[in-house]
Amino acid sequence: MSSIIQLLPDHVANQIAAGEVVQRPASVVKELLENAVDAKATDIKLIIKDAGKSLVQVIDNGLGMSVTDARLCFERHATSKIRKAEDLFSLHTKGFRGEALASIAAIAHMEMKTKQDQEELGTHIIIEGSKFISQEVAVLPKGTSFAVKNLFFNIPARRNFLKSDTVEFRHVMDEFQRVALAHPNIHFTFYHNGSEMYNLPAAGSRQRIVGIMSGKTNEKLVPVNEDTEIINVQGFVCKPEFAKKSRGEQFFFVNDRFIKSGYLHHAVMAAYDGLLKDGSQPSYFLYLQVPPNTIDINIHPTKTEIKFDDEQALYAILRASIKHSLGQFNVAPVLDFDRDANLDTPYHYKDLEGETPTIQVDGTFNPFTDDKTNQHYSKSGSGSGSGFTSGSNFSSGSGSGSYSGYNKRVEPTATWESLYVGLETDTIESSPFTFENEEVTSSLFNDNEIEQASQGTYQIHKKYIVSPIKSGMVIVDQQRAHQRILYEQFLLNMTVNQASSQQLLFPLDLFYSSDEMTLIEELKPSLETTGFVFEEAKTDHIVISGIPVNITESEVSMVIEQLLSDLQDGIPASSYSQNDTIAKSMAKSLAVKTGSYLTEKEQDNLVNGLFACKDPNISPFQKPTFITMRVEDIDKKFAL
């Protein structure tokens, strides 16, 4: 047989590598921004059009490249970041594989302009699908500019798999935020379709976080600071009352590189133990500095996962440092063994000596004496002695003389039995009396109706509702049943009926990040059909003056957060699918939860409402809402 293994051509190998490195426009943004950071730039501009499908351009004022480097950087595995394999364990740069530019150039039209500071002229290169079109000398400013146009022009299948502009723009926004948060000392500017999205001057970490998220973020942050031999932890966590349903604002940076780590996230959640509601996720922005030789970055194509040498120690340190910060800022109670004891008493008592309290003792008092003089009242007398005033229970003293004037012996109180003497003769027989409610009840309902009314519903473990039926019994899952009822109500209001709205006395101000505000703007027409009334919408918050009648004011924020979480992957294009998604999300948020106690009337309403639905058998999420058990099935359980 002839040999069948052969080397792939370079342009084919580059496109295969592009499948790992370049999945969507956000991948291009990430690679180009990280190259700009590695070039020691202090000012970086990101310009995109059509969510990056038409154009992704990154302009920096970094070191620039020579003529030779400008041509060589588009070759596979050509990099200035490492020289040998051992350098992988002492990385101080974002990139190190040398694949990004080659992969991007293989599937797009690419234009590069670069110039070093000491050179008078720069280099202008144009590449289309790995083919060099031109290389010219040009007059350019210091730094490098990459423009990537027509992404996936030669791979139509990959281009067809791209999501809508809204979804792709959200991914681009995520990548930009991660790089901008990791490097607050760099000035970042972001433009989309000619509009300025961000203008972030160089500042501290707190100012950068506030600049990216929203103005209200500042009051939510609790600083974290812990320095050990193993790790240095800096950053901020948010107060428990600002926790959200979604996991959007959670950032780990290890040596200024964004990573994802479920293990470290569990450490953060452990620090919040007992402070969060069920299902809530705290926001955090944590910067971890570890020795480069203790981590391995080269285990994932996107470099967002890192292998640590001693994960258990990092877990314990991270959990302890966050718990300490939450307690230090009076967010969570902690034991403070360094408490100043002088704070326990007022300051003017600090230097005073303690005084022995004075005690007055009546040495002549005898509790076993038979003297009953304490029960006498006297207006005048002679003698000497000591004792309590008139009417006191005890008296003591000694003396001689005679008592004169008004003297009265207090007679002992009669026993309690004397209070009931003679009551036997006054006893009234109650048998002739009748009560009106007995007659009314017997006249309103017949025996069959009373028997039918006594067969009510029962709640089991605050999760299931059991209702008897003619053939046996029906067991209803209360949460799924309520989801089905609410889902059909919301869908009916959004498509057929005019939804009712209740006006708020004081409008609600709800603050969100810029990408969340973009999503809310698209959802406003659909939300208004459910009963929401938006007074105004600004860059970082919305004002709601009316809400649907079946939503309370305290539930509004929860409903919108759940809706944003469910629509993170994009809003459906068709109006029906969009209304269906919103109705499902709101039903999930407002449905009665497992573990909630329901009164008998609420149980009846839930069961009756379920069987009044068009499709009572399944919940909006395709799960059964009830099961039936016949008497024959129960009999079989008892059969021997």
Side-chain angles (χ1 to χ4, degrees):
M1 292 181 62
S2 60
S3 301
I4 59 175
I5 296 177
Q6 60 181 355
L7 289 174
L8 290 174
D10 288 342
H11 68 279
V12 178
N14 286 338
Q15 290 189 13
I16 294 174
E20 292 183 354
V21 177
V22 184
Q23 298 177 349
R24 54 188 358 139
S27 306
V28 178
V29 171
K30 173 181 179 293
E31 299 295 340
L32 295 182
L33 286 178
E34 290 183 348
N35 280 346
V37 172
D38 287 340
K40 298 181 173 55
T42 58
D43 191 342
I44 300 176
K45 293 182 176 65
L46 172 62
I47 303 170
I48 66 171
K49 290 183 180 179
D50 300 331
K53 297 176 183 177
S54 300
L55 172 68
V56 174
Q57 186 173 8
V58 174
I59 305 171
D60 67 69
N61 63 345
L63 299 176
M65 287 181 277
S66 65
V67 178
T68 305
D69 288 345
R71 183 64 181 261
L72 192 60
C73 71
F74 292 102
E75 300 295 330
R76 285 194 70 192
H77 309 303
T79 179
S80 61
K81 316 296 174 62
I82 62 174
R83 290 288 182 268
K84 52 186 182 298
E86 288 76 12
D87 294 340
L88 290 173
F89 298 97
S90 60
L91 289 173
H92 298 279
T93 58
K94 299 288 185 292
F96 52 85
R97 295 190 184 125
E99 287 184 332
L101 293 180
S103 299
I104 296 171
I107 43 89
H109 295 165
M110 198 165 185
E111 182 179 1
M112 183 187 73
K113 298 177 181 178
T114 183
K115 180 180 114 40
Q116 292 179 322
D117 192 20
Q118 66 274 14
E119 299 292 335
E120 294 183 359
L121 297 174
T123 305
H124 181 197
I125 295 178
I126 298 177
I127 300 178
E128 295 180 359
S130 295
K131 295 180 181 179
F132 276 85
I133 303 301
S134 66
Q135 178 174 348
E136 299 174 351
V137 177
V139 178
L140 301 170
K142 173 198 172 185
T144 305
S145 170
F146 284 101
V148 179
K149 304 175 184 177
N150 304 325
L151 195 64
F152 301 124
F153 79 99
N154 53 355
I155 311 179
R158 181 64 61 85
R159 189 176 182 88
N160 292 335
F161 277 113
L162 293 179
K163 304 294 185 182
S164 65
D165 286 359
T166 304
V167 177
E168 296 299 338
F169 176 71
R170 191 172 303 116
H171 285 288
V172 170
M173 184 84 76
D174 289 342
E175 295 296 345
F176 174 82
Q177 290 178 353
R178 292 167 182 176
V179 178
L181 286 171
H183 302 277
N185 58 329
I186 299 177
H187 181 198
F188 284 93
T189 315
F190 182 16
Y191 298 92
H192 180 222
N193 291 338
S195 301
E196 183 180 89
M197 307 302 298
Y198 287 108
N199 190 349
L200 306 170
S205 298
R206 192 180 194 115
Q207 290 84 351
R208 178 55 56 87
I209 294 170
V210 173
I212 289 181
M213 296 307 164
S214 68
K216 282 289 183 178
T217 307
N218 189 36
E219 63 188 35
K220 306 176 185 178
L221 300 179
V222 175
V224 178
N225 189 355
E226 190 70 36
D227 192 6
T228 66
E229 296 179 355
I230 301 175
I231 186 174
N232 179 20
V233 181
Q234 304 278 344
F236 301 89
V237 295
C238 283
K239 298 175 182 176
E241 59 265 29
F242 297 105
K244 295 184 176 182
K245 290 284 185 182
S246 60
R247 294 183 57 177
E249 299 177 1
Q250 297 173 335
F251 297 89
F252 280 116
F253 301 97
V254 175
N255 295 355
D256 296 334
R257 181 192 302 275
F258 172 80
I259 69 160
K260 297 177 182 178
S261 174
Y263 188 68
L264 296 182
H265 172 74
H266 191 275
V268 177
M269 295 299 294
Y272 278 91
D273 189 24
L275 299 175
L276 298 175
K277 298 179 182 178
D278 292 338
S280 298
Q281 301 285 338
S283 300
Y284 52 80
F285 310 85
L286 296 173
Y287 300 82
L288 314 179
Q289 293 292 331
V290 298
N293 59 349
T294 63
I295 58 175
D296 186 4
I297 303 171
N298 194 27
I299 63 170
H300 194 272
T302 60
K303 309 169 192 170
T304 55
E305 295 181 10
I306 289 181
K307 181 66 177 176
F308 297 94
D309 276 358
D310 192 354
E311 287 186 333
Q312 288 79 10
L314 297 183
Y315 183 100
I317 294 172
L318 186 62
R319 176 181 176 274
S321 59
I322 294 175
K323 205 169 186 65
H324 174 71
S325 295
L326 291 174
Q328 187 176 7
F329 287 86
N330 298 324
V331 177
V334 297
L335 291 175
D336 188 1
F337 296 103
D338 298 327
R339 177 176 51 83
D340 188 358
N342 293 326
L343 298 178
D344 291 347
T345 56
Y347 290 114
H348 61 276
Y349 285 108
K350 182 166 67 71
D351 298 324
L352 295 180
E353 296 291 336
E355 296 181 359
T356 304
T358 57
I359 302 175
Q360 296 180 354
V361 180
D362 186 0
T364 61
F365 172 68
N366 185 0
F368 302 104
T369 182
D370 293 334
D371 188 9
K372 299 298 183 182
T373 58
N374 58 304
Q375 296 180 359
H376 290 76
Y377 295 86
S378 174
K379 285 188 176 181
S380 64
S382 62
S384 63
S386 62
F388 295 99
T389 58
S390 62
S392 174
N393 290 329
F394 302 99
S395 67
S396 60
S398 60
S400 61
S402 63
Y403 290 93
S404 63
Y406 178 73
N407 294 317
K408 182 180 178 181
R409 177 76 175 179
V410 179
E411 296 295 332
T413 305
T415 60
W416 63 271
E417 291 91 343
S418 63
L419 298 175
Y420 300 93
V421 175
L423 290 181
E424 291 81 358
T425 59
D426 297 333
T427 303
I428 300 175
E429 295 294 335
S430 59
S431 57
F433 287 94
T434 59
F435 295 96
E436 183 181 356
N437 60 346
E438 290 182 359
E439 296 179 1
V440 173
T441 303
S442 61
S443 63
L444 284 179
F445 303 104
N446 55 37
D447 294 339
N448 293 333
E449 290 174 332
I450 293 175
E451 183 180 358
Q452 183 178 0
S454 64
Q455 294 180 350
T457 57
Y458 307 94
Q459 190 179 26
I460 300 177
H461 293 295
K462 298 181 181 179
K463 184 176 183 180
Y464 301 107
I465 298 174
V466 179
S467 178
I469 56 177
K470 186 175 181 180
S471 61
M473 64 179 178
V474 59
I475 304 174
V476 179
D477 187 308
Q478 64 184 33
Q479 183 173 3
R480 295 179 184 177
H482 200 202
Q483 286 177 354
R484 165 53 64 177
I485 297 170
L486 293 176
Y487 168 72
E488 294 197 2
Q489 287 179 358
F490 285 127
L491 207 56
L492 190 65
N493 291 337
M494 297 168 72
T495 55
V496 180
N497 298 339
Q498 181 68 31
S500 302
S501 178
Q502 54 180 339
Q503 295 298 308
L504 298 176
L505 184 61
F506 300 102
L508 286 175
D509 283 359
L510 301 178
F511 289 82
Y512 297 99
S513 61
S514 56
D515 52 341
E516 290 175 336
M517 285 299 301
T518 304
L519 197 59
I520 291 175
E521 283 292 338
E522 297 184 36
L523 294 173
K524 270 182 65 175
S526 298
L527 290 176
E528 288 171 348
T529 60
T530 64
F532 282 98
V533 178
F534 295 90
E535 195 169 290
E536 59 178 328
K538 297 185 178 180
T539 56
D540 60 346
H541 75 284
I542 56 175
V543 180
I544 298 177
S545 58
I547 58 177
V549 292
N550 48 358
I551 296 180
T552 62
E553 186 175 346
S554 60
E555 294 173 330
V556 174
S557 177
M558 176 190 67
V559 169
I560 295 181
E561 283 185 13
Q562 182 66 54
L563 186 59
L564 294 175
S565 175
D566 292 339
L567 294 175
Q568 278 184 343
D569 294 333
I571 301 175
S574 65
S575 60
Y576 175 77
S577 298
Q578 184 173 329
N579 292 339
D580 183 71
T581 303
I582 294 175
K584 286 181 179 178
S585 178
M586 295 178 66
K588 181 168 62 174
S589 301
L590 298 172
V592 60
K593 301 295 185 293
T594 297
S596 301
Y597 171 74
L598 300 179
T599 63
E600 188 172 348
K601 186 175 182 180
E602 291 172 337
Q603 298 170 27
D604 290 336
N605 290 338
L606 192 65
V607 174
N608 295 332
L610 174 65
F611 292 103
C613 292
K614 293 182 178 179
D615 190 2
N617 297 314
I618 57 174
S619 73
F621 306 99
Q622 307 303 313
K623 296 181 179 179
T625 57
F626 68 91
I627 60 172
T628 57
M629 292 190 67
R630 300 179 302 168
V631 176
E632 293 81 356
D633 298 332
I634 301 176
D635 291 339
K636 291 178 182 178
K637 298 291 183 181
F638 288 96
L640 296 177

